[in-house]
Amino acid sequence: ADFNYGADEYDAEGNEEPKALPEGSETMPYIDESPTMSPQLSARGQESGDGVSPTPTDGLGTGGERDAGKGLEMRKLVLSGFLASEEIYINQLEALLLPMKPLKATATTSQPVLTLQQIETIFYKIQDIYEIHKEFYDSLCPKVQQWDSNVTMGHLFQKLASQLGVYKAFVDNYKIALETAEKCSQSNYHFQKISEELKVKGPKDSKESHTSVTMEALLYKPIDRVTRSTLVLHDLLKHTPADHPDYPLLQDALRISQNFLSSINEDIDPRRTAVTTPKGETRQLVKDGFLVELSEGSRKLRHVFLFTDVLLCAKLKKTAVGKHQQYDCKWYVPLADLVFPSPEESEHCPQVHVIPDHELEDMKMKISAIKSEVQKEKANKGQSRAIERLKKKMFENEFWLLLNSPAIPFRIHNRNGKSYLFLLSSDYERSEWREAIQRLQKKDLQAFVLSSVELQVLTGSCFKLRTVHNIPVTSNKDDDESPGLYGFLHVIVHSAKGFKQSANLYCTLEVDSFGYFVSKAKTRVFRDTTEPQWNEEFEIELEGSQSLRILCYEKCYDKTKLNKDNNEIVDKIMGKGQIQLDPQAVQTKNWHMDVIEMNGIKVEFSMKFTSRDMSLKRTPSKKQTGVFGVKISVVTKRERSKVPYIVRQCVEEVEKRGIEEVGIYRISGVATDIQALKAVFDANNKDILVMLSDMDINAIAGTLKLYFRELPEPLLTDRLYPAFMEGIALSDPAAKENCMMHLLRSLPDPNLITFLFLLEHLKRVAEKEPINKMSLHNLATVFGPTLLRPSEGESKAHLTLASDIWSHDVMAQVQVLLYYLQHPPISFSELKRNTLYFSTDV
């Protein structure tokens, strides 16, 4: 079941509390015909991205393009997955049929629970559907279990498709079956008890023997299933060579299924047939999703619908409980009149008010802390009301983040005068919308004005036709859905080929965190080439991520196109692609090589994942000769210095040429450069200074962070860590000041002097915030955990859930560093002289 704060009841203006939706308020289902459920994800299978093309051959390629063996292996994977879900489906149908026999038996007695007519209506065609699928499952199962390359099963899918008439009868009766079940539940206590908890058998290899499901949920399953079968046919065709005997049979089955879906969608929603374009063609929904619109100076969450010939921007109306939900049209632009203004034409568009990074980071911390509380409540079998309250709070915070974090402008202009501005967090998404619109604009479109009735009908159809039902926040995920990965993804972008002509090329990497995608890394520009060789490694922090996207751009050096707006991306996207981050596949110690194909371009990359608890480890260096992983006191003694040479040199270089670099210390440097610098500092090579002056500044900043991260114990020491955590939690300002200064005084001299040296440097970096966008808060977020996180032995004691310890402790670590960054200058001699009347017992 959907979590109770879905898109069905969000307030698009972001003003009021979301309200819960009554069960079953959307009676009539809409079956999704598109090959992928969510338009956002359709690019994974096909570059087309519009999610309605029935042609299975674009995208990953068939036959010769991929070797046949891999295709057959993929077929087996697709079929195994489908078979497992088919088993679940059969168990669900069985559970639905189970009460039918006893109900029939009582129907003829003096005390019937239901009449025979009511039983016939509620369970209409379920027995037939069950028999069709049982026969299909029994025939397919041995073929998948004794798999070899000669296996054929197209005839089974063709037969299944030919029996879709039974589903037609089921769908025609669906609404009345639901209504009858509802009425009977209200009037008969016995039936109400039966229909509230039907026991569904778990799969054969599952630990769970049974799960309880409502009758209403089970009656929806057959409707859901047709879409699922169509998706599987699509996937199978994609991985079946065109000369395979199954190919024409699967093609036929897909054609029948898709025609069937179109026909029953029209039956389910009669208004759909009334929605036609000015040329008399059926107007179809091509893509929909949630976007943030900047309207009258404030951000509003909108549901945007792209039809064959019009873009419609809507919000969900507030309705009384039990009333049918409706969209309210804010504006629409016929595609014939829609243009994308170029950056120089968009001067008159409103400027984007960007929320400071530290506010967004604060909110992420809050959300992570609430997640931890929810986990704890669940672990302690807490009250469901307490959990609901926390989830509601989490939804509100995530909604705020969704509304306030996007900053990439997506401008839409109506030739007849009005301009609209959306803000997106991902350039990938922006280009998907733009491409989908441009593809439709290639057709012969006419301009038009909708009458108020036509507009009403079109807006009315949105609720049924939409494919994206919930706003993309993690609180809308079911508990059994994958929570995504928390930790660090190491990605090496190797090279790309397939470009038609030489260009200046670079890639960016996006991952989803907190429900939406953000850009996390960018390679350098490889100039004037058709085969760029980047070979750059990045470390990307994952916060509940499930997908990685790679975008390939051609760099624009044309001064006239460069816009004053920082977030305007004028570079041309040459290709884009996305892969799922499979926790099993990614979590190995070894690098995993992969290729993403996009628009005929192939980008080669490798990746490996380190979970959060693994990356929290500090491992002391075995050798005591270098500087990385060696105690700071050993290094300063050996160098006869107060602050380690590596710290002084990196700070000096950053202040010389990196202090105005946007995102300094936040943007990751190239890992291979950082490793090269590490080796040079460890060997105390005389070429250090030459190398530093040539090196990319982000790599130097990364080397400094790595040095502190690899210290065998944190700069602020393991011994004092608990006291720092207690000190920062004090509420009385005077007590906090005394305690925090006393703690600094208690540090060993090399640690204290180095910390004060770094503190002054970070303050100087933050002075340039208007240019480098790095506030004190941003710097505290980057350096806090690096300087405070306890070493292995210390953190073991209170290491529970990786995301759990992370959220709570990291917040405190950031606050400790922020406290010192916001404090007036602290001098070593003052500190030492002013020892106050304090016990030294910390």
Side-chain angles (χ1 to χ4, degrees):
D2 279 346
F3 183 58
N4 262 2
Y5 314 113
D8 296 347
E9 58 287 340
Y10 74 99
D11 169 18
E13 309 296 334
N15 307 331
E16 288 169 33
E17 299 267 301
K19 61 182 186 305
L21 183 73
E23 278 293 313
S25 66
E26 181 188 350
T27 351
M28 281 323 301
Y30 165 68
I31 301 187
D32 181 7
E33 294 167 53
S34 61
T36 41
M37 289 297 230
S38 152
Q40 267 81 343
L41 302 179
S42 59
R44 198 180 316 140
Q46 313 163 240
E47 203 30 54
S48 66
D50 58 9
V52 289
S53 156
T55 47
T57 43
D58 40 357
L60 293 174
T62 55
E65 205 175 311
R66 290 251 160 140
D67 70 275
K70 191 163 183 187
L72 291 169
E73 190 52 40
M74 283 302 293
R75 286 177 80 211
K76 186 186 175 186
L77 288 173
V78 171
L79 283 170
S80 306
F82 183 57
L83 207 54
S85 70
E86 190 73 2
E87 184 194 344
I88 293 167
Y89 180 48
I90 289 167
N91 289 347
Q92 289 164 339
L93 293 171
E94 242 172 19
L96 207 45
L97 288 170
L98 202 61
M100 192 170 84
K101 288 183 185 121
L103 285 170
K104 272 188 176 168
T106 63
T108 49
T109 64
S110 57
Q111 285 187 309
V113 178
L114 301 182
T115 65
L116 280 170
Q117 179 59 50
Q118 287 168 332
I119 295 167
E120 180 56 33
T121 305
I122 294 170
F123 297 97
Y124 187 65
K125 294 293 176 191
I126 300 287
Q127 185 70 44
D128 296 356
I129 292 174
Y130 170 76
E131 282 162 12
I132 288 168
H133 281 270
K134 187 81 177 78
E135 184 192 345
F136 172 76
Y137 179 84
D138 291 343
S139 312
L140 185 60
C141 195
K143 286 179 178 288
V144 176
Q145 282 169 349
Q146 289 135 33
W147 182 259
D148 70 49
S149 55
N150 302 320
V151 164
T152 58
M153 41 65 205
H155 58 290
L156 298 178
F157 278 93
Q158 197 180 32
K159 185 177 177 186
L160 190 64
S162 70
Q163 294 167 309
L164 281 170
V166 177
Y167 275 92
K168 174 88 172 91
F170 175 84
V171 168
D172 290 343
N173 181 69
Y174 174 76
K175 192 170 184 178
I176 196 159
L178 267 194
E179 285 167 4
T180 310
E182 179 76 13
K183 277 184 197 145
C184 294
S185 276
Q186 286 165 359
S187 59
N188 188 303
Y189 177 72
H190 288 297
F191 183 68
Q192 186 187 351
K193 288 310 293 165
I194 293 168
S195 62
E196 273 176 1
E197 277 202 24
L198 291 169
K199 295 275 185 280
V200 178
K201 245 184 352 199
K204 285 196 276 289
D205 49 358
S206 152
K207 289 188 186 123
E208 284 184 39
S209 56
H210 286 86
T211 49
S212 293
V213 188
T214 64
M215 183 172 285
E216 186 189 346
L218 288 178
L219 281 171
Y220 185 71
K221 296 299 177 190
I223 287 186
D224 214 20
R225 195 68 199 162
V226 189
T227 310
R228 182 65 189 262
S229 310
T230 311
L231 294 176
V232 168
L233 282 167
H234 207 277
D235 287 344
L236 276 175
L237 263 171
K238 208 186 294 177
H239 299 293
T240 302
D243 55 359
H244 193 285
D246 272 345
Y247 195 81
L249 302 177
L250 291 171
Q251 234 174 354
D252 193 39
L254 181 64
R255 184 182 52 75
I256 296 168
S257 302
Q258 285 186 322
N259 288 342
F260 172 75
L261 280 179
S262 304
S263 70
I264 62 172
N265 277 331
E266 285 169 15
D267 293 347
I268 285 172
D269 182 9
R271 283 169 308 187
R272 189 163 197 226
T273 47
V275 180
T276 53
T277 67
K279 294 174 75 180
E281 295 158 0
T282 307
R283 179 178 282 137
Q284 288 184 315
L285 178 67
V286 176
K287 179 177 172 62
D288 68 307
F290 290 96
L291 296 180
V292 173
E293 186 189 8
L294 200 63
S295 164
E296 294 160 11
S298 63
R299 292 165 177 255
K300 317 276 186 184
L301 191 66
R302 304 292 193 213
H303 200 149
V304 181
F305 295 85
L306 174 61
F307 290 93
T308 330
D309 64 338
V310 63
L311 184 75
L312 184 138
C313 175
K315 68 169 268 203
L316 206 62
K317 275 196 228 175
K318 290 190 187 65
T319 47
V321 175
K323 278 282 174 73
H324 189 67
Q325 297 240 271
Q326 277 296 346
Y327 279 100
D328 185 14
C329 172
K330 300 309 280 182
W331 52 263
Y332 72 90
V333 181
L335 298 190
D337 292 330
L338 188 152
V339 285
F340 299 111
S342 63
E344 61 271 22
E345 290 167 341
S346 54
E347 294 282 305
H348 58 277
C349 283
Q351 276 305 300
V352 182
H353 168 60
V354 180
I355 303 288
D357 272 0
H358 69 84
E359 286 184 31
L360 299 174
E361 289 302 326
D362 271 352
M363 187 55 86
K364 287 180 186 176
M365 295 283 191
K366 271 188 202 158
I367 293 166
S368 298
I370 297 172
K371 274 185 189 162
S372 308
E373 282 184 60
V374 172
Q375 297 286 356
K376 280 191 197 114
E377 283 286 339
K378 282 184 181 164
N380 302 335
K381 299 279 184 285
Q383 290 183 338
S384 58
R385 278 176 65 187
I387 293 175
E388 278 304 307
R389 209 168 40 246
L390 284 169
K391 281 191 170 181
K392 187 169 182 224
K393 188 78 197 143
M394 184 154 94
F395 175 81
E396 286 162 13
N397 288 347
E398 289 196 314
F399 186 86
W400 183 91
L401 199 57
L402 187 73
L403 210 55
N404 289 295
S405 52
I408 299 172
F410 176 42
R411 304 174 197 279
I412 301 278
H413 183 65
N414 186 334
R415 275 185 229 280
N416 303 325
K418 192 124 201 270
S419 288
Y420 305 96
L421 171 59
F422 291 112
L423 297 174
L424 281 70
S425 60
S426 144
D427 199 26
Y428 191 102
E429 228 149 286
R430 180 171 75 158
S431 100
E432 279 196 326
W433 278 98
R434 189 177 280 161
E435 285 165 17
I437 291 169
Q438 285 168 338
R439 221 178 349 264
L440 292 168
Q441 286 179 327
K442 284 184 183 149
K443 297 175 186 159
D444 177 24
L445 295 170
Q446 293 178 6
F448 57 86
V449 175
L450 293 173
S451 70
S452 59
V453 174
E454 284 175 317
L455 184 58
Q456 212 175 340
V457 169
L458 183 61
T459 312
S461 71
C462 289
F463 190 81
K464 296 287 196 308
L465 299 178
R466 62 194 181 153
T467 62
V468 183
H469 294 260
N470 288 332
I471 30 189
V473 292
T474 54
S475 17
N476 278 333
K477 280 188 183 174
D478 289 342
D479 289 347
D480 54 358
E481 276 188 71
S482 160
L485 294 168
Y486 287 86
F488 294 90
L489 185 70
H490 300 263
V491 182
I492 302 176
V493 183
H494 297 294
S495 60
K497 50 176 180 277
F499 296 97
K500 303 278 187 290
Q501 55 201 60
S502 284
N504 304 313
L505 303 163
Y506 70 92
C507 282
T508 64
L509 308 178
E510 290 184 356
V511 295
D512 53 327
S513 66
F514 296 93
Y516 57 90
F517 279 86
V518 277
S519 184
K520 287 282 195 174
K522 179 177 174 180
T523 67
R524 64 184 185 279
V525 178
F526 213 99
R527 293 202 168 214
D528 201 17
T529 180
T530 53
E531 293 200 2
Q533 302 282 329
W534 293 289
N535 292 317
E536 290 184 67
E537 184 184 332
F538 301 95
E539 180 183 86
I540 296 172
E541 189 168 1
L542 302 183
E543 295 162 304
S545 311
Q546 293 177 316
S547 305
L548 168 72
R549 290 172 168 178
I550 297 187
L551 293 96
C552 194
Y553 291 89
E554 178 179 357
K555 180 76 181 157
C556 164
Y557 289 108
D558 179 350
K559 285 281 191 296
T560 60
K561 286 190 183 166
L562 297 181
N563 193 283
K564 291 191 275 293
D565 183 350
N566 278 346
N567 293 300
E568 192 77 56
I569 301 166
V570 293
D571 298 337
K572 182 181 167 196
I573 296 182
M574 304 297 284
K576 62 188 191 320
Q578 160 169 311
I579 55 156
Q580 285 296 84
L581 296 174
D582 172 17
Q584 272 69 43
V586 181
Q587 281 176 325
T588 56
K589 290 216 171 86
N590 306 324
W591 286 96
H592 163 71
M593 179 111 170
D594 212 335
V595 174
I596 282 188
E597 295 193 33
M598 36 172 108
N599 279 358
I601 299 163
K602 292 183 181 181
V603 176
E604 277 196 5
F605 65 99
S606 300
M607 58 184 179
K608 68 176 177 180
F609 171 74
T610 320
S611 63
R612 178 98 55 193
D613 45 352
M614 286 304 293
S615 57
L616 289 174
K617 287 180 179 171
R618 290 181 183 269
T619 42
S621 170
K622 301 274 188 293
K623 53 184 193 356
Q624 290 296 304
T625 50
V627 290
F628 282 82
V630 178
K631 281 185 177 175
I632 196 163
S633 54
V634 173
V635 172
T636 49
K637 195 170 176 185
R638 188 199 315 139
E639 292 178 353
R640 296 189 182 142
S641 61
K642 289 183 174 171
V643 174
Y645 178 67
I646 180 171
V647 177
R648 291 184 319 225
Q649 287 310 125
C650 290
V651 162
E652 189 180 314
E653 203 61 39
V654 168
E655 293 199 359
K656 200 189 306 176
R657 58 191 179 92
I659 204 149
E660 295 191 346
E661 181 81 13
V662 174
I664 187 74
Y665 289 120
R666 185 173 54 79
I667 288 177
S668 28
V670 178
T672 39
D673 289 350
I674 294 173
Q675 290 307 318
L677 279 172
K678 177 182 174 179
V680 170
F681 275 112
D682 266 345
N684 195 15
N685 192 312
K686 56 182 185 301
D687 299 331
I688 289 176
L689 294 176
V690 178
M691 197 166 168
L692 276 177
S693 59
D694 287 346
M695 195 60 83
D696 172 59
I697 200 65
N698 287 318
I700 294 169
T703 305
L704 182 64
K705 286 192 295 184
L706 184 70
Y707 168 71
F708 286 118
R709 199 159 72 214
E710 290 197 356
L711 281 175
E713 81 159 350
L715 188 64
L716 299 186
T717 72
D718 285 329
R719 183 176 69 89
L720 296 178
Y721 182 74
F724 276 114
M725 294 297 101
E726 284 167 22
I728 199 64
L730 293 172
S731 336
D732 175 52
K736 185 186 272 189
E737 163 82 4
N738 266 351
C739 177
M740 297 301 275
M741 289 305 123
H742 171 65
L743 286 170
L744 282 189
R745 214 171 287 119
S746 311
L747 285 168
D749 282 3
N751 299 56
L752 175 56
I753 297 169
T754 302
F755 179 64
L756 296 177
F757 178 79
L758 181 67
L759 212 53
E760 290 312 306
H761 164 63
L762 295 178
K763 286 181 182 180
R764 286 192 289 275
V765 171
E767 281 168 12
K768 300 282 185 188
E769 184 194 351
I771 305 166
N772 64 27
K773 306 281 184 275
M774 291 303 286
S775 61
L776 288 175
H777 193 287
N778 285 352
L779 292 162
T781 306
V782 171
F783 275 96
T786 305
L787 301 178
L788 277 128
R789 190 188 65 244
S791 53
E792 181 70 342
E794 292 299 313
S795 57
K796 265 246 169 68
H798 47 238
L799 185 73
T800 46
L801 229 162
S803 57
D804 202 62
I805 165 158
W806 175 75
S807 57
H808 183 72
D809 281 16
V810 166
M811 285 171 85
Q813 291 159 8
V814 170
Q815 290 306 318
V816 169
L817 182 54
L818 190 57
Y819 180 85
Y820 292 122
L821 283 170
Q822 289 171 338
H823 196 280
I826 307 163
S827 92
F828 178 74
S829 51
E830 280 289 308
L831 257 183
K832 287 296 185 187
R833 194 162 57 246
N834 183 12
T835 45
L836 293 168
Y837 304 100
F838 239 123
S839 118
T840 51
D841 182 21
V842 179

